[in-house]
Amino acid sequence: MLCTTTTTTSPLNSFGSPWPDLNDGLFYSDAVSTTSDSGLTLIHFYSSKYKNSAPLQGWLQRIHNGQITIDGEVVKEPKAILRDGMELVYHRLPWREPDAPYLLQVLYEDNDMIALNKPAGLQVLPGGLFQQRTVLMQLQWRASKGSSSLETQGSHPVPVHRLGRGTSGILLCAKTMVAKTSLAAFFAEGTSLIGDSSNTDMKQSKRRKISKIYRALVNGILKQDKIIIKQPIGTMRYPGVAKGLYVASASGKPALSKVEVLERDSQLNQTLVQVEIESGRPHQIRIHLSFIGHPLLGKP
């Protein structure tokens, strides 16, 4: 159970459009190259190159459904021969994404950035089953409607960092390229300093322009009031996870978390902690707290 510290705001200062029942699907593009693809049949190309997406019969069905175009024309012949320079597009049909909240509270806004109170259950950027039900989509819809706060010409608001789908808290979004570059650099500076062991003391946070502070409910009772965790985080191979699973690993990248106990509940055998992360490794808080024997409550 995890959230960043947030500030309350009036419900009137909120925005968001209800999600459509179905999203728009996805479009995947490929270009036929002379060296490897030219001369192959359409079915051979897809069933061999993307065999993890669907078996042979699955790709045959997609072709017969008219989900694949060549140079903008629907092709339903699986044995169509591909030639160098052809543009292929596969249309993944629309689907209903899992339920997710859509209202976002505005905590702060100016001409360069907007700070949102992201609710738990809402994904920040597209990924997996969530391609439309994201913070990014709500920002884009708001900008396209010409909302007074996003009416600046050329404004393309985007989140500059991520919060996990199950995490609530403050999310900073840039409205200009200059703001995006500056904020991204501020977030990156702490992570870059972690690689220098001389900078992993308590004074480092004074040099940071952005601090990331979370609250988490963990299993068990932490005996120490304050703990500094410097366990590196890396990846390991794991079935069903193409890019690997992020874990505590001696050969991983440096990571630093400062944990402070806020409240202990002996009856429920759980502890409320505040965690300041100096680096921004994937799943850092979950991994670090599990590493010291106190995993997040309710997390697999």
Side-chain angles (χ1 to χ4, degrees):
M1 188 174 296
L2 181 66
C3 67
T4 56
T5 53
T6 61
T7 306
T8 58
T9 186
S10 168
L12 296 177
N13 195 20
S14 301
F15 70 92
S17 300
W19 306 116
D21 287 340
L22 300 177
N23 61 25
D24 297 327
L26 287 175
F27 293 87
Y28 300 91
S29 300
D30 282 285
V32 178
S33 63
T34 305
T35 53
S36 58
D37 304 328
S38 183
L40 296 179
T41 63
L42 186 62
I43 185 61
H44 186 187
F45 175 86
Y46 278 105
S47 62
S48 60
K49 190 171 184 177
Y50 299 108
K51 57 185 176 182
N52 291 331
S53 173
L56 176 66
Q57 290 301 319
W59 280 112
L60 283 171
Q61 186 63 52
R62 292 171 178 178
I63 294 172
H64 291 148
N65 286 345
Q67 293 174 243
I68 295 175
T69 62
I70 298 179
D71 293 336
E73 299 292 332
V74 173
V75 176
K76 296 186 178 182
E77 174 49 62
K79 295 183 179 180
I81 301 298
L82 303 183
R83 301 301 179 198
D84 180 36
M86 285 182 170
E87 295 289 336
L88 307 181
V89 177
Y90 158 59
H91 180 204
R92 180 181 175 182
L93 297 177
W95 71 92
R96 177 180 173 82
E97 300 182 13
D99 291 337
Y102 64 88
L103 284 177
L104 291 161
Q105 290 182 314
V106 178
L107 304 176
Y108 171 83
E109 185 169 15
D110 58 28
N111 291 332
D112 298 300
M113 61 171 286
I114 177 172
L116 302 174
N117 183 6
K118 188 193 85 69
L122 179 60
Q123 191 151 305
V124 175
L125 299 175
L129 292 175
F130 294 91
Q131 294 296 322
Q132 188 176 61
R133 299 186 178 190
T134 64
V135 173
L136 177 61
M137 183 59 68
Q138 289 293 350
L139 286 170
Q140 291 175 345
W141 284 345
R142 185 182 190 224
S144 67
K145 293 176 182 176
S147 173
S148 58
S149 54
L150 287 176
E151 64 186 3
T152 304
Q153 188 174 1
S155 175
H156 301 284
V158 293
V160 293
H161 65 111
R162 298 194 191 196
L163 292 176
R165 183 163 58 89
T167 303
S168 62
I170 299 174
L171 181 71
L172 300 186
C173 305
K175 294 163 62 177
T176 65
M177 284 302 299
V178 172
K180 179 182 178 181
T181 301
S182 297
L183 289 171
F186 294 161
F187 275 106
E189 67 175 354
T191 298
S192 64
L193 289 171
I194 299 303
D196 182 355
S197 60
S198 65
N199 285 323
T200 55
D201 55 27
M202 299 298 287
K203 297 179 181 179
Q204 179 180 327
S205 60
K206 294 180 180 179
R207 293 194 294 271
R208 293 176 58 88
K209 296 181 178 65
I210 294 180
S211 295
K212 294 178 285 186
I213 301 173
Y214 297 73
R215 287 187 177 181
L217 199 57
V218 303
N219 284 295
I221 303 298
L222 273 75
K223 296 181 180 180
Q224 297 173 267
D225 291 335
K226 294 183 179 181
I227 305 172
I228 295 180
I229 307 170
K230 300 180 181 179
Q231 172 61 39
I233 294 174
T235 58
M236 64 173 288
R237 291 184 179 181
Y238 193 82
V241 183
K243 296 182 179 180
L245 198 66
Y246 286 96
V247 296
S249 170
S251 61
K253 294 181 179 180
L256 175 65
S257 299
K258 300 174 183 177
V259 182
E260 181 178 353
V261 171
L262 298 179
E263 185 177 337
R264 297 179 176 91
D265 191 327
S266 300
Q267 186 174 359
L268 295 177
N269 190 38
Q270 60 192 33
T271 305
L272 178 65
V273 297
Q274 181 165 288
V275 185
E276 181 175 359
I277 57 174
E278 297 287 353
S279 48
R281 307 304 178 195
H283 310 295
Q284 178 173 324
I285 293 177
R286 176 173 60 81
I287 292 171
H288 272 181
L289 291 174
S290 293
F291 179 75
I292 63 172
H294 296 279
L296 293 175
L297 196 67
K299 288 282 185 178

